[in-house]
Amino acid sequence: MATDTHPLSLPPDLVRLGAAPAGKEAAIREAAQLLIAAGCIDPAYADSMIRRETVANTFLGHGVAIPHGMVDDRNLVRRNGIAILQVPDGVVWNEGQTARLVVAIAAQSDAHIAILRRLTRLMQDEPRLEALFATTDPADLVAALSDESSMPATPASEAGDLAETFEWVVDYPTGLHARPAAAWVETARAAAGRVRIRHGGEAADGKTLVALLQLGLRPGDRITVSTDGPDARAVLNRLRATITGLSAREKADAAAAARKAKAVVQGWTPPAASGREMPVVAGIGASPGLAIGAVHVMPKADLTVPDRPAPLLEGGNRLHEALNLTRQQLKALADDTARRLGPAEAGIFAAQAELLNDTDLITLACQLMVEGHGPGWSWNEAVERSAATLAANPNPVLAARAADLRDVGRRVLTRIDPDLRGGSIRDLPDTPCILIADDLSPSDTAALDMGRVIGLATAQGGPTSHTAILARTLGLPAMVAGGGALTGLADGTTAILDGQSGRLYLEPSDADLAAAHGWFEEQRVRKAQQEERRGLPARTRDGHTVEIGANVNRPDQVAMALSQGAEGVGLMRTEFLFLERGDAPGEEEQYETYRAMLEALDGRPLIVRALDIGGDKQVPHLQLPHEENPFLGVRGARLLLRHPELLEPQLRALFRAAKHAREGALLIMFPMITTLREIETLRAVCDRIRAELDAPAVPLGIMVEVPAAAIQADVLARHVDFFSIGTNDLTQYALAIDRQHPELAAEADSLHPSVLRLIRMTVDGAEKHGRWVGVCGGIAGDPFGAALLAGLGVRELSMTPRDIPGVKDRLRDSDLAGLQDLARRALDCESSDEVRALEGGAS
């Protein structure tokens, strides 16, 4: 969020000594008048400060009050400032509370804790505070309170719409859930003015994630988005683009989920009853599969948080530190989840981290501490109040976010008070079990020991919860919403869990167990056959072979890729060595990484893409110049040739690694090649470095990502050893659609006939000089797309490891003549829709 970065200033003319206001409102207006006279606020801000007193108590204690305006009225703040009204005889603030220092705050930022620290430091120094109550020298107060501070945010007002508005009907299939809401908030926070989202009579601050989610927006709901401030119209346009641009992705995700659900095999059906019917606990299927074993019931997490009051400064510091540590923990968890399960699942924890930026939560926790409660109790109370509101929402997707809020809240809580950690999901029996819990957090689900947990059943939750999503990704049979009957089960009870139908069958008979084991064995054999086929080459029925590689970024990912049937690494994106850190890796570190990749592959091919920075991959620590249109600017090879300090260490590391590799195992390709001159210059640099190191020759290739390279492929092929087509970028440049554009991204279809024709031109140009062509873009991992590419003459495909088995099966079930006929028909189509319509008849 854009904020005023100037500190809260306190010149002597903003200090008034010896005041004697008639009451609290008079004291606030007198202090506000100082801010008005100094040009810090508009006169109307004084009324906002009065209104603020009706929604929160600004009395900190020990004779100090901090009146400030409503968050909706921050546009009335012209510049940051503090005004101090000294009231030696005191003024009644609320019943039993007397203020002798009234510290009026005008600030546009959201930080709350910083000013609490400074003021509470004074509160704990009673002699100094008493001296300030009576001092006759304004310099004493200036010295005590003139540091950089900021004011708290408060809940959004439920006033009408702001100056600029647009209406929108929610068309996200699952309503507004955490991940798209986080994108809304990110856009809103770039605005200097206010952002309001209104649904009927309810309004939310568009910069606050929890407030947005509490609106409970469902498909078909009509909302009004409004903004104000100097750039209100531009902000509104950006918000419109973000909000409507997510529709295509949300619909595509929902459609993909629906297709996946239809593809799931039918769950297990118990045999006809013979003598007695099995007891069953019915819930909702969350992740398909069958688990047979004893249940382990986690103790119900009825957490009692003791209220241990602490000095306000200490409590504020503990909350601030806990929030920062939890953000770091969630970042690490997101990175680990991205590596193990994928970026979509990692986004769950990024959305959780956004909850920690919710100023309403932090403000409420601070207010509770001001009232005398301990930091742990105050934080837990703030979380529970917000979570209860979410849980009561009729939209099940939004109600499921209560678990996310409680999960992240518990992380912060255990940082504040380690004694509240409680039981652990690691406290499991030694034998594999079906885990039963009242609910399970997404982070606990992601960390489950799959060797000890064979199934999961929860009393609460829903099939759209993040816990359910993670269970499906892990391949863990799971049911949710089983109710209290689940947690009342006895530990060790034998059960059969069917994650497809959402039923937990209890105390099965021998016949029931035999039937379940039989079904389970059938599935195991089928899976084993699939596993066995993964290792077979992608050879068509008439003997044509397509090489299959995996897109892998680190050595520790190689084993999983090989287990999925990869025959090598077709794309190592080296930019991730730069993106996931705060500085650039040196030559030695890169060398160790490339050598480890080669060793993990054990002689299989490794195609390394030289650093591809620019476009959507920006590296802040490199401090490269800002570009208005980075996709059409200095990126890829253009950047490498302008920054030898990035290119040459990487090439030295690669050629050093080549000295320890099997001949031909390492291949280097350069991104974003447009001209022959770029190839010639890069090859000359490679030749020089290779000679300096006395390294072996390494095949050099280029990425075909711009139409110019595809059109001139017959010329470029004379100077390179291979081509690798990046279909995502090629599509973007061919169709003139930014693949990240919120409104147009769904139209950037790599199966558009014009893109397929560019691929065919590349293949034809390469064949004139005996070069091979690979594809490492998105459609390589789609079985139908892979079939088309093979028919177009592509010889190597590289994809996400999980896509490999399906692609191999598709190619093995085809013959080359059929694939070539499919490609010819696709090239004759007039649109991508027509191309996709060929899928049903493809062979």
Side-chain angles (χ1 to χ4, degrees):
M1 179 179 63
T3 58
D4 186 344
T5 58
H6 298 293
L8 293 173
S9 58
L10 182 58
D13 60 353
L14 282 172
V15 177
R16 179 169 294 173
L17 303 178
K24 178 168 73 169
E25 181 173 341
I28 293 172
R29 291 195 180 279
E30 190 171 344
Q33 188 58 45
L34 295 174
L35 293 170
I36 294 168
C40 293
I41 60 174
D42 287 344
Y45 196 69
D47 294 326
S48 180
M49 296 171 80
I50 299 297
R51 288 198 303 275
R52 181 69 177 81
E53 296 299 316
T54 66
V55 298
N57 183 9
T58 62
F59 185 80
L60 284 181
H62 298 274
V64 179
I66 55 167
H68 48 272
M70 301 290 288
V71 68
D72 275 0
D73 296 321
R74 277 184 290 176
N75 61 304
L76 300 175
V77 177
R78 295 173 178 171
R79 63 180 180 86
N80 288 347
I82 301 174
I84 298 180
L85 194 71
Q86 182 205 55
V87 188
D89 294 333
V91 59
V92 175
W93 208 256
N94 293 303
E95 185 178 354
Q97 299 172 340
T98 300
R100 299 176 68 188
L101 279 184
V102 178
V103 183
I105 303 168
Q108 291 184 336
S109 58
D110 285 325
H112 196 141
I113 295 176
I115 194 169
L116 287 178
R117 287 176 173 171
R118 185 66 173 172
L119 289 171
T120 52
R121 210 174 282 130
L122 288 173
M123 291 179 190
Q124 294 175 63
D125 187 350
E126 291 191 16
R128 187 181 184 193
L129 192 58
E130 287 293 331
L132 292 175
F133 291 160
T135 186
T136 58
D137 186 354
D140 292 340
L141 286 162
V142 171
L145 290 172
S146 61
D147 68 316
E148 192 169 321
S149 306
S150 55
M151 65 172 283
T154 57
S157 164
E158 293 187 3
D161 300 328
L162 303 174
E164 299 286 348
T165 66
F166 83 87
E167 290 190 349
W168 181 67
V169 176
V170 178
D171 62 1
Y172 302 168
T174 54
L176 181 65
H177 57 97
R179 279 177 280 186
W184 292 23
V185 169
E186 182 180 359
T187 301
R189 284 184 173 170
R194 296 173 295 174
V195 174
R196 180 172 295 151
I197 312 295
R198 181 176 59 79
H199 174 230
E202 297 183 46
D205 182 349
K207 300 179 180 182
T208 303
L209 183 64
V210 170
L212 278 180
L213 294 177
Q214 287 177 344
L215 287 176
L217 298 178
R218 293 173 289 183
D221 285 348
R222 181 177 294 278
I223 65 171
T224 300
V225 181
S226 61
T227 60
D228 65 7
D231 58 346
R233 172 53 56 180
V235 171
L236 195 73
N237 288 338
R238 290 195 294 271
L239 278 165
R240 187 200 306 269
T242 296
I243 292 170
T244 59
L246 289 169
S247 296
R249 189 177 72 186
E250 289 295 307
K251 291 173 182 176
D253 288 348
R259 288 195 299 270
K260 188 177 291 185
K262 291 179 181 178
V264 172
V265 296
Q266 183 62 40
W268 177 67
T269 303
S274 55
R276 74 172 185 90
E277 189 171 333
M278 268 192 296
V280 61
V281 177
I284 300 173
S287 178
L290 200 68
I292 307 168
V295 304
H296 173 71
V297 183
M298 284 185 64
K300 201 166 185 177
D302 289 330
L303 181 67
T304 300
V305 180
D307 192 356
R308 301 189 181 107
L312 199 53
L313 174 63
E314 177 188 330
N317 283 339
R318 283 164 61 187
L319 177 57
H320 180 71
E321 181 181 15
L323 288 167
N324 282 338
L325 289 172
T326 304
R327 288 187 185 99
Q328 295 170 16
Q329 185 184 43
L330 287 170
K331 175 64 167 62
L333 183 57
D335 289 345
D336 178 65
T337 303
R339 286 192 294 270
R340 296 189 300 112
L341 305 180
E345 287 70 24
I348 290 169
F349 301 107
Q352 281 196 338
E354 183 58 45
L355 293 171
L356 296 181
N357 296 326
D358 180 59
T359 54
D360 288 349
L361 270 180
I362 297 172
T363 296
L364 178 55
C366 288
Q367 289 170 348
L368 292 169
M369 284 191 286
V370 164
E371 292 172 7
H373 297 289
W377 188 93
S378 298
W379 172 255
N380 188 66
E381 179 69 12
V383 168
E384 284 301 317
R385 289 184 190 180
S386 292
T389 303
L390 285 172
N393 197 290
N395 184 335
V397 175
L398 273 300
R401 296 295 81 81
D404 289 327
L405 182 56
R406 288 190 170 103
D407 181 22
V408 74
R410 183 67 59 86
R411 287 179 174 276
V412 175
L413 185 62
T414 57
R415 293 288 186 176
I416 297 172
D417 188 349
D419 292 339
L420 297 175
R421 292 188 186 279
S424 170
I425 57 167
R426 294 167 182 82
D427 299 333
L428 298 171
D430 294 332
T431 55
C433 67
I434 298 172
L435 183 62
I436 307 293
D438 185 58
D439 203 355
L440 207 61
S441 70
S443 52
D444 280 346
T445 306
L448 285 175
D449 182 349
M450 297 295 287
R452 301 170 72 186
V453 177
I454 58 175
L456 173 65
T458 64
Q460 301 180 31
T464 59
S465 71
H466 286 155
T467 296
I469 293 169
L470 287 168
R472 290 192 289 272
T473 301
L474 289 166
L476 184 70
M479 64 172 275
V480 295
L486 275 179
T487 53
L489 295 176
D491 264 341
T493 300
T494 302
I496 301 170
L497 171 64
D498 180 8
Q500 173 69 14
S501 63
R503 281 167 168 71
L504 185 72
Y505 299 96
L506 304 172
E507 301 174 357
S509 66
D510 290 343
D512 295 325
L513 286 171
H517 279 293
W519 187 91
F520 188 84
E521 180 63 17
E522 289 176 7
Q523 299 304 306
R524 188 195 66 77
V525 170
R526 180 178 178 181
K527 185 177 180 180
Q529 289 172 344
Q530 293 175 343
E531 293 282 346
E532 183 179 354
R533 288 197 297 267
R534 289 177 182 175
L536 297 175
R539 183 175 295 122
T540 63
R541 292 190 294 252
D542 52 353
H544 176 73
T545 300
V546 178
E547 303 296 328
I548 302 295
N551 298 341
V552 170
N553 302 327
R554 288 179 297 272
D556 61 350
Q557 298 173 330
V558 170
M560 192 275 280
L562 296 179
S563 73
Q564 295 294 308
E567 296 155 3
V569 169
L571 173 63
M572 178 187 181
R573 302 180 182 93
T574 60
E575 57 271 15
F576 284 91
L577 299 176
F578 293 72
L579 289 168
E580 296 178 355
R581 54 188 297 142
D583 57 354
E587 176 187 328
E588 191 64 28
E589 183 178 345
Q590 291 192 63
Y591 161 70
E592 293 294 342
T593 300
Y594 304 141
R595 185 170 179 180
M597 286 283 286
L598 288 163
E599 290 175 352
L601 285 165
D602 192 25
R604 299 175 182 88
L606 167 64
I607 303 177
V608 177
R609 182 173 69 189
L611 182 62
D612 186 15
I613 294 298
D616 58 336
K617 296 185 287 293
Q618 300 295 326
V619 182
H621 64 76
L622 293 180
Q623 297 182 334
L624 300 173
H626 171 73
E627 295 186 90
E628 290 300 324
N629 194 336
F631 281 104
L632 297 180
V634 181
R635 61 170 298 202
R638 298 169 184 172
L639 184 141
L640 293 174
L641 290 172
R642 287 166 173 79
H643 291 273
E645 76 279 7
L646 296 175
L647 172 64
E648 297 197 10
Q650 181 170 43
L651 290 178
R652 290 182 62 85
L654 284 165
F655 278 107
R656 285 173 60 194
K659 297 173 72 171
H660 305 281
R662 179 182 62 79
E663 181 180 357
L666 176 64
L667 302 88
I668 301 173
M669 63 182 177
F670 294 101
M672 280 298 295
I673 294 293
T674 307
T675 67
L676 178 57
R677 178 175 295 179
E678 291 168 342
I679 296 173
E680 292 173 335
T681 306
L682 287 165
R683 184 174 281 279
V685 176
C686 289
D687 290 343
R688 172 173 57 80
I689 290 175
R690 183 175 66 84
E692 291 172 359
L693 297 173
D694 191 26
V698 171
L700 299 179
I702 65 167
M703 296 285 293
V704 175
E705 298 167 283
V706 297
I711 293 168
Q712 206 176 11
D714 58 334
V715 174
L716 303 182
R718 284 198 294 264
H719 303 271
V720 299
D721 299 301
F722 65 94
F723 291 138
S724 185
I725 301 174
T727 54
N728 296 338
D729 267 323
L730 185 61
T731 302
Q732 170 175 255
Y733 293 120
L735 302 182
I737 293 177
D738 181 348
R739 54 192 169 94
Q740 297 189 94
H741 193 287
E743 293 185 24
L744 301 175
E747 299 177 31
D749 193 337
S750 295
L751 293 185
H752 192 285
S754 62
V755 179
L756 299 180
R757 292 185 183 197
L758 288 170
I759 293 172
R760 184 54 178 264
M761 292 177 70
T762 304
V763 171
D764 290 344
E767 286 180 349
K768 290 182 179 179
H769 302 281
R771 312 303 190 200
W772 60 269
V773 177
V775 168
C776 57
I779 59 172
D782 172 58
F784 176 65
L788 271 176
L789 293 171
L792 289 169
V794 172
R795 300 300 298 267
E796 184 259 359
L797 301 172
S798 189
M799 64 206 70
T800 300
R802 286 191 178 87
D803 292 334
I804 291 173
V807 167
K808 280 190 163 184
D809 279 349
R810 178 59 177 269
L811 295 175
R812 281 196 297 264
D813 289 342
S814 307
D815 59 74
L816 182 58
L819 295 176
Q820 291 171 336
D821 180 65
L822 172 65
R824 281 192 294 270
R825 285 184 285 143
L827 292 172
D828 289 335
C829 288
E830 297 180 355
S831 69
S832 54
D833 288 339
E834 283 189 31
V835 173
R836 292 188 179 279
L838 299 174
E839 183 170 2
S843 60

